[in-house]
Amino acid sequence: MFKVKSQIEFDMAHYLSGYNGKCSNLHGHRYKLIVSIKSETLHQEGQLRGMVDDFGNIKEKLKEIEDLFDHKLVIENNEEGLLLSEKLKELPNSFDVLLVPYRPTAEEMSRDIFHKLKAMGLDVCEVELFETPTNSCTYTED
Ligand SMILES: [Zn+2]
């Protein structure tokens, strides 16, 4: 069995609606995303001979994930999130808000990223998202 991994990092702020404690304040992280693709076999001919997939192809897809989340403020698309988003739009500074249909935890984000990569045609088997250097969530459907 072969398992290839590729990783990217991005900076993102999030707000956890309905959370009590230190993380209830709007704050940011430097996220590290590690994506794994596994295969029993390698390509036998052509450009991809001897490979599971081209790292360049994987990086291209990861760049789309990076562009989606990097330097965004990610808020859940609920009543409170919409109110916060509207208030921020009233300020003179422009805030790049990304509304998502879930509480933006490492768990929910790793599942979302897994499905986004699948939809892009990447045969991903595992997504690990580090929210801090010592805390991560792994999402897999194996
Ligand atoms: Zn956080």
Side-chain angles (χ1 to χ4, degrees):
M1 175 71 69
F2 300 95
K3 192 188 244 185
V4 295
K5 295 185 178 187
S6 190
Q7 76 175 59
I8 53 164
E9 294 187 11
F10 56 88
D11 300 299
M12 195 197 94
H14 67 169
Y15 173 69
L16 300 179
S17 177
Y19 183 86
N20 274 316
K22 212 166 89 174
C23 288
S24 64
N25 201 8
L26 199 160
H27 65 281
H29 299 280
R30 176 142 186 101
Y31 288 86
K32 181 167 81 175
L33 172 69
I34 303 175
V35 168
S36 305
I37 296 162
K38 68 180 179 189
S39 178
E40 296 274 3
T41 58
L42 301 178
H43 285 276
Q44 293 300 306
E45 50 196 62
Q47 176 79 350
L48 297 179
R49 188 163 60 89
M51 299 178 185
V52 171
D53 196 354
D54 193 329
F55 280 112
N57 181 41
I58 303 167
K59 281 279 187 241
E60 233 172 67
K61 309 277 196 300
L62 291 184
K63 181 79 173 78
E64 289 188 43
I65 299 295
E66 186 185 322
D67 289 345
L68 181 65
F69 292 108
D70 193 40
H71 283 80
K72 300 283 174 65
L73 167 56
V74 178
I75 303 175
E76 184 175 2
N77 191 357
N78 60 11
E79 201 179 322
E80 190 188 17
L82 285 170
L83 183 66
L84 178 58
S85 175
E86 287 307 312
K87 290 280 177 203
L88 288 171
K89 279 181 196 156
E90 290 170 16
L91 298 172
N93 199 350
S94 72
F95 286 88
D96 210 346
V97 176
L98 174 67
L99 289 167
V100 292
Y102 52 79
R103 199 185 205 191
T105 59
E107 292 89 332
E108 292 279 17
M109 285 178 63
S110 61
R111 178 168 59 185
D112 182 30
I113 290 168
F114 181 96
H115 290 128
K116 280 185 163 58
L117 290 169
K118 280 271 190 201
M120 287 177 210
L122 203 63
D123 194 18
V124 59
C125 72
E126 191 179 288
V127 159
E128 184 171 18
L129 186 66
F130 283 80
E131 195 173 73
T132 71
T134 50
N135 297 330
S136 76
C137 174
T138 299
Y139 184 80
T140 180
E141 293 191 343
D142 286 347

